[in-house]
């Protein structure tokens, strides 16, 4: 009988050889965020001159995304499920597209063949004795896409941390490219005085024993700074970063009180520095699962005292949250915000928290706005929103009338804008 070790050898190729199977007009799904396989993406981009109309589907692109750079548009069309620093210009200049979709539902775009997948490029660890590889820091949509794809090409990287949870077997892979390479890292954000005050306000809402979801950025990280005195916190989060490691090492995060997946850090992807990657490597308490499990509001809602903490660009006086557009420009994406807002709403004792600085542009723009920018999307609806937090306080909007919401939101806006917000709210009949 031929065992997997023999089949493994048959699948070994160079990156250049592996990407030769990609044809013009194929749809290529790339492993997510810090799990992107740099060697495979570079080999694909090197074929730009001989390819046309290859669609590259990616969510948070943490690499240089050369396929989305100006001059590449004939070869590659970028389809962003989230817009980030390296892809924003392409989407703005119409060389790329943005496709709105709740993160929890992205796998179904592939499995229901709404977006049939030809090729998946991803990173895996070397196999264990049974031939199973860990997907390291990106399971999310990457594993479901791989299970649907015509061809699965992996960069096998021994520097990728071996995380628990979902795995992929060598038999599911088409080509294997052995290449050790340092992972893409997310540097810890700058946390200023405003973020610290917001963090402190948010932390005041979090009880001992709560399970947390934390979004990306300075505010979620600032919240963690104020949780040092809490007890027995748990993590069930779309992603987590270095801040969680510090609280785990300090004994604050134990996952003991989680209602499901007790004792485990559960997430769908990870972004951070080597400190995070070393913490999760071979750690039996860290489990990553596809995003249609982790971000499923029904799963999230089973946790008692589930706290979701996310940020926004603007909140209007009715409580509508815009977390993704600056005017008509797509700045980021919906990600898992609504998945977790809805999950936390279902949770007994749960709270969903939208935390944002009261102003933008050096204090010139109020982020608590009479209405959202013309052309901006509603990310979290006024029916879903619960707590909104700024450096000036906490507005609890659930069960509040439109009039009471407007008052509560004006009370946490920057003092410089309160008068004008009140005048405009009155003029529009909100108050
Ligand atoms: N009008 C004009 N500009 C605005 C603005 C507004 N209302 N609000 C923010 N900006 C500007 C800021 O000044 C900043 O500009 P700068 O980079 O030149 O300083 C920029 O937009 C980004 O704002 P910032 O508050 O720093 O963003 P962030 O990096 O903290 O990210 C979100 C905030 C909302 C974009 C981000 O959390 C997000 O994409 N959320 C949606 C997805 C999500 O919640 N996922 C959760 C699960 S992980």
């Amino acid at each position: 009988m031929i065992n997997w070790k023999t089949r493994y050898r048959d699948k070994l190729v160079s990156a250049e050889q592996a990407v030769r199977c990609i044809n013009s007009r194929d749809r290529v799904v790339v492993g997510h965020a810090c799990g992107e396989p740099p060697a495979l993406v570079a080999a694909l981009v090197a074929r730009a001159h001989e390819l046309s109309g290859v669609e590259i589907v990616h969510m948070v692109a943490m690499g240089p995304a050369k396929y989305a750079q100006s001059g590449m548009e004939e070869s590659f069309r970028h389809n962003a499920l989230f817009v980030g620093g390296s892809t924003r210009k392409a989407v703005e200049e119409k060389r790329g597209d943005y496709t709105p979709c709740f993160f929890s539902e992205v796998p179904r775009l592939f499995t229901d063949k709404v977006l049939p997948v030809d090729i998946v490029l991803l990173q895996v660890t070397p196999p264990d004795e049974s031939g199973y590889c860990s997907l390291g820091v990106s399971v999310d949509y990457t594993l479901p896409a791989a299970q649907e794809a015509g061809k699965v090409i992996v960069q096998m990287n021994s520097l990728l941390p071996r995380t628990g949870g979902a795995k992929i077997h060598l038999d599911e892979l088409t080509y294997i490219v052995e290449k050790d390479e340092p992972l893409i890292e997310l540097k810890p954000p700058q946390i200023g005085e405003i973020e610290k005050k917001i963090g402190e306000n948010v932390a005041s809402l979090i009880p001992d024993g709560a399970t947390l979801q934390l979004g990306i950025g300075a505010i979620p990280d600032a919240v963690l700074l104020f949780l040092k005195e809490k007890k027995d916190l748990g993590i069930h989060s779309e992603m987590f970063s270095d801040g969680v490691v510090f609280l785990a090492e300090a004994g604050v995060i134990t996952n003991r009180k989680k209602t499901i997946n007790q004792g485990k850090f559960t997430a769908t992807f990870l972004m951070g520095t080597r400190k995070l990657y070393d913490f999760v490597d071979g750690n039996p308490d860290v489990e990553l699962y596809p995003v249609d499990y982790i971000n499923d509001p029904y799963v999230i809602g089973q946790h008692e005292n589930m706290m979701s903490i996310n940020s926004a660009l603007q909140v209007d006086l009715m409580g509508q949250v815009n977390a993704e557009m600056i005017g008509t420009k797509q700045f980021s994406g919906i990600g898992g915000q609504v998945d977790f807002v809805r999950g936390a709403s279902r949770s007994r004792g749960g709270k969903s928290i939208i935390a944002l600085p009261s102003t933008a542009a050096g204090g010139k723009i109020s982020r608590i706005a009479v209405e959202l920018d013309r052309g901006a999307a509603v990310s979290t609806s006024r029916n879903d929103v619960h707590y909104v937090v700024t450096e000036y306080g906490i507005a609890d909007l659930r069960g509040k009338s439109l009039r009471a919401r407007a008052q509560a939101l004006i009370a946490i806006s920057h003092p410089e804008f309160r008068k004008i917000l009140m005048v405009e709210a009155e003029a529009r009949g909100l108050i």
Side-chain angles (χ1 to χ4, degrees), residues 105-117 144 148:
E105 294 181 2
V106 169
R108 286 190 54 192
L109 296 180
F110 306 133
T111 55
D112 289 356
K113 304 201 181 337
V114 180
L115 300 178
V117 186
E148 282 299 313

Side-chain angles (χ1 to χ4, degrees), residues 375-419:
V378 173
S379 311
T380 293
S381 86
R382 62 186 189 169
N383 311 294
D384 287 308
V385 73
H386 190 180
Y387 288 95
V388 178
V389 175
T390 69
E391 69 274 29
Y392 291 102
I394 301 168
D396 178 358
L397 303 186
R398 182 175 286 170
K400 280 206 168 59
S401 67
L402 288 174
R403 191 165 53 86
R405 282 168 181 236
Q407 284 164 340
L409 286 163
I410 291 170
I412 62 159
S413 67
H414 193 287
E416 296 259 316
F417 288 97
R418 285 183 197 166
K419 201 161 163 215

Side-chain angles (χ1 to χ4, degrees), residues 60 82-83 88 103 195 213-220 237-239 269 271 295 309-315 321-327 331-338 340 354-363 365-369 373 379-380:
V60 177
F82 192 95
V83 176
R88 196 168 289 133
F103 197 3
E195 286 82 9
Q213 173 261 330
L214 300 143
I216 306 170
I219 291 176
S237 190
E238 178 173 311
M239 56 84 66
F269 73 103
M271 287 205 287
N295 280 34
I309 304 156
N310 293 296
S311 194
L313 296 169
Q314 268 186 317
V315 179
V321 177
N322 162 24
E324 54 184 300
M325 292 182 78
I326 297 182
F331 181 79
S332 59
I334 185 83
Q337 181 166 123
V338 173
F340 275 92
I354 299 291
L356 75 170
S358 64
T359 63
I365 298 172
S366 177
R367 289 165 76 150
I368 303 294
D373 280 355
S379 311
T380 293

Side-chain angles (χ1 to χ4, degrees), residues 20 61 140 213 255 281 312 373:
R20 264 184 222 149
D140 41 65
Q213 173 261 330
N255 296 304
D281 188 21
D373 280 355

